[in-house]
Amino acid sequence: MPQIQWTRELEIGIGVIDGQHRRIVDYINTLDASESEADRATVARVLGDLIDYTYSHFAFEEALMEEAGYEYLSVHQKTHQAFVARVNALKQRFDDGENVAADVAELLRTWLISHIMSDDNSYAPIVREKMPRIESKEQGGWLGRMVRRFFAG
Ligand SMILES: [Fe+2]
C-alpha cells in the first residue's frame, strides 16, 4: 500500500496539536509496511505506542479544550473514550494471537478523516481565539506545563 503523506488538509492550525497528530500517519505507514510479513514485533510496538499516545494526546487535547472553554468538551471526550475502547479491543485480539495490523491501520485511517479532520477542527477556532499566544511562551507557560505534564518521560 502506498505511504500516506501528511497534508495541510489534516492540519487544524494549532502547531502543537498538528505535530501530535502526525504520529497517526507514521503509525499507519508502519503498519502498512509490516502487514505483508505479519511482523508481530512491529505491530506490538505500534499498539504499545498508540496506547501511550492516545492517553497523553487525548488528555492534552481535553485540557486545551477545557482551558479555552470549548462547550462540546464532554461530547468530544466521549469520542476519545470510544476510540480508546476500540484500540483496547484490538490489543486484546492481538494478545489472543490474531494479526490485527490491517484493522488497526483501518481504524487509524478512519480516525484521521472522521475525528481529526472534523471533530478536532471544530474546537480549533475557539482555542485560537481564546489562546492566541498558545504557541509562544507568553500564555503563562501553559503549553510548556501541559506538555511536561502529559508527555514527560
Ligand atoms: Fe480529539
Side-chain angles (χ1 to χ4, degrees):
M1 204 171 295
Q3 295 262 299
I4 295 189
Q5 299 291 332
W6 179 264
T7 67
R8 299 208 59 177
E9 285 178 311
L10 294 167
E11 291 181 2
I12 67 167
I14 301 169
V16 62
I17 295 286
D18 290 330
Q20 292 170 16
H21 284 163
R22 277 173 183 259
R23 287 181 53 183
I24 296 287
V25 168
D26 295 339
Y27 293 148
I28 294 170
N29 286 331
T30 303
L31 288 166
D32 284 348
S34 78
E35 201 182 336
S36 51
E37 61 228 59
D39 178 352
R40 275 187 72 81
T42 302
V43 180
R45 182 169 49 77
V46 171
L47 274 170
D49 287 353
L50 179 62
I51 288 165
D52 286 350
Y53 166 84
T54 46
Y55 179 79
S56 306
H57 169 66
F58 290 166
F60 181 87
E61 249 190 19
E62 288 167 16
L64 186 62
M65 287 185 268
E66 191 172 12
E67 181 75 14
Y70 180 59
E71 67 178 310
Y72 301 112
L73 170 61
S74 64
V75 178
H76 200 116
Q77 273 173 323
K78 287 203 175 69
T79 315
H80 285 172
Q81 286 158 10
F83 182 80
V84 167
R86 283 196 201 101
V87 172
N88 287 338
L90 284 161
K91 173 73 165 64
Q92 185 60 58
R93 284 172 49 202
F94 176 81
D95 290 344
D96 291 342
E98 254 187 83
N99 177 17
V100 293
D103 289 350
V104 176
E106 196 51 44
L107 174 67
L108 296 179
R109 273 192 198 86
T110 306
W111 185 251
L112 270 184
I113 292 160
S114 71
H115 189 74
I116 292 178
M117 289 177 76
S118 171
D119 302 341
D120 288 342
N121 255 314
S122 59
Y123 76 69
I126 189 151
V127 168
R128 285 198 300 263
E129 182 195 324
K130 301 281 184 191
M131 306 173 77
R133 281 184 287 282
I134 179 173
E135 316 240 31
S136 77
K137 295 201 166 67
E138 293 163 51
Q139 193 80 42
W142 187 91
L143 181 63
R145 266 201 323 278
M146 291 302 122
V147 168
R148 280 194 298 279
R149 187 198 295 180
F150 298 122
F151 290 94

